[in-house]
Amino acid sequence: MTTTVPTTTASPAPASRRFGLSRAGLYALLVVAALFFLLPIYLLIATALKSPDAINLATTWQWPRALNWASFAEAWAKIGGNVGNSLFLAIVATLISAMMGSLNGYALSKWKFRGANILFALMLFGMFIPYQAVLIPLFQFVRSIGWESFVIPGFNITVPEFTLYGSIWALILAHVVYGLPITTLIFRNYYAEVPDALVEAATIDGAGFWSIYRQVIFPLSVPGFVVVIIWQFTQVWNEFLFAATLTNTSSQPVTYALSQLAGGQAVSWNLPMAGAILAALPTLLVYILLGRYFVRGLLAGSVKG
């Protein structure tokens, strides 16, 4: 005689249905939030593609019936040279501050000396000084750098006149100095996760400060450099205050040129909108190409440091 034991199976349907509704509600909330944050971008693109006579308050949110691509050509004709200035400024200032920050972080994390922690704290203090607080002393310092043309005795070589104020190098100097605290902080925390045994083994093999950096530390620094490059490139590209005070007409970056597009009493709003899109493309390209390394490199050293 065999007996069968009745079995009861709970239906997972209610829990699964609740989970599905919760997930659908979460997605709906995320879609609404995304649309909310995309509204300024929609307005930017729609206005750039309108003709000047089609821009008014009544049709602000309407998509243009006829696309006016000439806005981009006209905007590029006015700010194209400034985009070149910004590219040179951002690339040079980013590379210099990244290399100097890497060397600072390497020295402060692997070659600690007496007073290293105090020096590091003083360097970090620079991150909290607003641009406005140093603007006048920086302006006077930049104005004082320069020389008149002279001939080097014995070589008959004429050194041309140079004035730092008004040149693109004044902006590069300001951004390199202002970028050193954050680049040093990022690299110091990143190198803190590199095992000291690697440096000790290289030291036993006879390597010195520079050879250890070149052969051991630098090859491991790609994630740190990606974070610094994205951060510095964006900061330098978007900066306006130094650009408005330390440059002249031939060296002004694109941020200052955009303000000129929007100046005046009768503004053709399609031009500053098209110019803003063109000016945003380089930083957008940097984030697309390097963005996947950004969080990984930013979190490196976040636990230890």
Side-chain angles (χ1 to χ4, degrees):
M1 180 177 179
T2 59
T3 58
T4 58
V5 178
T7 59
T8 58
T9 56
S11 174
S16 175
R17 191 178 301 114
R18 285 196 299 272
F19 180 77
L21 292 175
S22 174
R23 180 63 62 90
L26 176 62
Y27 285 161
L29 181 63
L30 291 176
V31 169
V32 171
L35 291 175
F36 179 76
F37 281 102
L38 288 174
L39 278 178
I41 298 178
Y42 166 78
L43 187 61
L44 183 75
I45 298 175
T47 307
L49 292 174
K50 290 178 180 177
S51 57
D53 56 348
I55 301 174
N56 54 65
L57 288 177
T59 61
T60 298
W61 296 100
Q62 295 180 6
W63 186 254
R65 295 180 179 178
L67 301 182
N68 179 32
W69 295 101
S71 301
F72 292 92
E74 191 173 351
W76 179 257
K78 295 187 176 183
I79 67 170
N82 303 97
V83 172
N85 290 338
S86 285
L87 280 176
F88 181 78
L89 164 67
I91 291 174
V92 175
T94 298
L95 291 180
I96 294 176
S97 58
M99 282 305 304
M100 294 184 69
S102 174
L103 290 171
N104 288 343
Y106 167 56
L108 290 172
S109 61
K110 298 303 177 189
W111 296 80
K112 287 190 175 180
F113 49 89
R114 180 177 297 179
N117 291 332
I118 297 176
L119 178 62
F120 179 59
L122 292 175
M123 293 183 68
L124 293 185
F125 183 70
M127 290 194 304
F128 306 104
I129 301 177
Y131 286 4
Q132 294 82 358
V134 301
L135 188 60
I136 295 178
L138 179 64
F139 176 79
Q140 294 175 337
F141 171 75
V142 170
R143 284 291 297 266
S144 66
I145 302 298
W147 59 79
E148 297 181 353
S149 62
F150 63 93
V151 178
I152 300 178
F155 295 94
N156 198 24
I157 298 175
T158 302
V159 177
E161 180 183 2
F162 174 75
T163 303
L164 184 60
Y165 174 74
S167 69
I168 197 71
W169 293 104
L171 273 183
I172 291 175
L173 174 65
H175 286 297
V176 167
V177 173
Y178 240 94
L180 278 181
I182 185 64
T183 58
T184 300
L185 171 65
I186 292 174
F187 277 112
R188 180 185 179 275
N189 288 346
Y190 181 78
Y191 292 148
E193 284 200 344
V194 176
D196 293 337
L198 288 177
V199 179
E200 294 170 359
T203 305
I204 293 174
D205 291 339
F209 179 90
W210 294 107
S211 56
I212 292 176
Y213 176 78
R214 186 176 63 255
Q215 300 175 7
V216 179
I217 299 297
F218 186 77
L220 300 174
S221 305
V222 174
F225 271 101
V226 170
V227 174
V228 167
I229 287 173
I230 292 178
W231 180 274
Q232 272 296 91
F233 189 91
T234 306
Q235 294 295 315
V236 175
W237 186 274
N238 292 330
E239 197 278 327
F240 175 79
L241 187 58
F242 289 162
T245 55
L246 300 179
T247 59
N248 56 26
T249 305
S250 61
S251 60
Q252 288 166 347
V254 68
T255 48
Y256 188 82
L258 281 177
S259 69
Q260 299 302 305
L261 280 181
Q265 295 180 350
V267 180
S268 298
W269 288 107
N270 57 319
L271 291 184
M273 296 298 178
I277 294 175
L278 294 174
L281 290 180
T283 50
L284 184 63
L285 187 63
V286 168
Y287 271 96
I288 290 175
L289 295 178
L290 303 177
R292 58 177 175 169
Y293 301 105
F294 184 70
V295 176
R296 187 192 314 171
L298 194 63
L299 293 178
S302 60
V303 177
K304 183 179 178 181

